[in-house]
């Protein structure tokens, strides 16, 4: 079936480096995507979203890239900080519902 | 600004006991409301959503039910809990403008439910 997935379940980066978290989706009709950050014991926190009529969107230290040709979504975090350590989820609008991937755990090494 | 509250934060219940988890949203009117379950190390599974008072849609067959007695109140219930009901339950809201499918959902901090 169609689903949202992730290339890597874990990612470890050095503090100050840039992080890139990837997500693949399979529903070519999806027109809206969201990235969430979830810290331990808390609910997912909205980071940034992007609609399918865009290829790139920037926020504070974060950038989301959408490649509709290969159905790929990525989240870039600039100058990664210890506070960025969390699980990151992408979500896809799939026939009116948001479908979430399993998440990528980002660990930041001091 | 909008806020969402869930309680309790943690709950330990025996098998066969009833359940009531509450979620309220402040700072917005007529939100879409959602209940999700998150199993350990897995993504979020949508259980119920509501587009208005008394309107509940169920996404998966289960031992749980949901109700929306007021515009900004969403309740998750069960008459008899099963061991398999253990998990992390999350409530979320989104705006209704433009269709709920193109609006971000904002989550509460969840209820950790353990069934013994």
């Amino acid at each position: 079936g169609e689903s949202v997935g992730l290339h890597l379940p874990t990612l470890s980066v050095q503090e100050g480096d840039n992080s890139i978290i990837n997500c693949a989706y399979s529903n070519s009709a999806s027109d809206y995507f969201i990235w969430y950050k979830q810290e331990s014991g808390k609910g997912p926190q909205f980071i940034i979203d992007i609609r399918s009529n865009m290829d790139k969107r920037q926020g504070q230290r974060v950038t989301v890239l959408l490649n509709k040709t290969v159905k790929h979504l990525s989240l870039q975090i600039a100058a990664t900080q210890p506070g960025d350590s969390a699980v990151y989820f992408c979500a896809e609008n799939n026939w009116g519902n948001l479908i979430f991937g399993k998440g990528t755990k980002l660990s930041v090494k001091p | 600004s909008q806020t969402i509250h869930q309680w309790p934060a943690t709950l330990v219940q025996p098998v066969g006991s009833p359940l009531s988890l509450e979620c309220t949203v402040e700072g917005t009117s007529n939100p879409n409301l959602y209940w999700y379950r998150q199993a350990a190390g897995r993504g979020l599974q949508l259980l119920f959503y509501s587009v208005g008072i008394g309107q509940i849609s169920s996404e998966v067959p289960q031992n749980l039910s949901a109700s929306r007695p007021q515009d900004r109140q969403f309740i998750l219930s069960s008459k008899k809990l099963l061991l398999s009901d253990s998990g992390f339950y999350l409530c979320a809201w989104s705006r209704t403008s433009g269709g709920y499918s193109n609006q971000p959902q904002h989550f509460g901090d969840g209820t950790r439910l353990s069934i013994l």
Side-chain angles (χ1 to χ4, degrees):
Chain A
E2 297 180 336
S3 63
V4 175
L6 292 161
H7 293 309
L8 295 173
T10 60
L11 177 64
S12 183
V13 300
Q14 200 72 37
E15 180 178 358
D17 287 351
N18 296 335
S19 302
I20 300 176
I21 301 171
N22 297 304
C23 181
Y25 66 95
S26 56
N27 183 357
S28 57
S30 294
D31 59 0
Y32 180 62
F33 305 87
I34 308 176
W35 279 102
Y36 287 91
K37 172 188 180 183
Q38 187 175 24
E39 296 176 277
S40 181
K42 295 189 175 182
Q45 177 185 6
F46 171 81
I47 302 174
I48 193 168
D49 58 1
I50 189 167
R51 302 189 192 283
S52 59
N53 60 353
M54 302 172 70
D55 297 323
K56 179 180 180 180
R57 192 170 186 212
Q58 288 183 292
Q60 186 177 12
R61 280 202 307 121
V62 296
T63 301
V64 55
L65 298 177
L66 176 62
N67 186 331
K68 294 180 287 293
T69 302
V70 295
K71 290 181 284 187
H72 184 267
L73 189 70
S74 68
L75 177 70
Q76 299 179 1
I77 304 174
T80 312
Q81 302 169 0
D84 293 328
S85 295
V87 176
Y88 289 81
F89 294 93
C90 63
E92 163 192 23
N93 169 29
N94 189 339
W95 300 107
N97 283 328
L98 285 181
I99 305 300
F100 292 82
K102 290 186 173 62
T104 292
K105 183 176 181 179
L106 176 64
S107 297
V108 181
K109 296 178 289 185
Chain B
S1 63
Q2 300 83 21
T3 57
I4 179 168
H5 303 280
Q6 281 187 250
W7 67 92
T10 59
L11 186 61
V12 180
Q13 292 283 96
V15 170
S17 64
L19 173 74
S20 181
L21 301 180
E22 190 159 344
C23 171
T24 59
V25 180
E26 296 177 357
T28 188
S29 296
N30 195 30
N32 291 319
L33 297 173
Y34 311 84
W35 278 111
Y36 288 88
R37 177 165 54 206
Q38 185 177 32
R42 299 180 66 177
L44 281 70
Q45 178 188 32
L46 179 64
L47 302 176
F48 301 95
Y49 69 90
S50 171
V51 298
I53 296 174
Q55 301 179 61
I56 309 295
S57 296
S58 175
E59 289 298 301
V60 294
Q62 59 210 318
N63 184 41
L64 303 168
S65 62
S67 61
R68 185 171 178 174
Q70 300 181 44
D71 181 45
R72 290 170 290 176
Q73 183 185 29
F74 207 22
I75 298 172
L76 184 68
S77 304
S78 175
K79 293 182 179 178
K80 283 187 176 182
L81 286 166
L82 306 173
L83 284 173
S84 58
D85 291 325
S86 292
F88 191 46
Y89 289 84
L90 290 156
C91 181
W93 73 273
S94 69
R95 297 186 190 282
T96 55
S97 60
Y100 69 90
S101 61
N102 285 306
Q103 295 286 334
Q105 294 179 19
H106 304 278
F107 289 83
D109 277 337
T111 295
R112 178 76 59 189
L113 176 64
S114 299
I115 310 301
L116 304 178

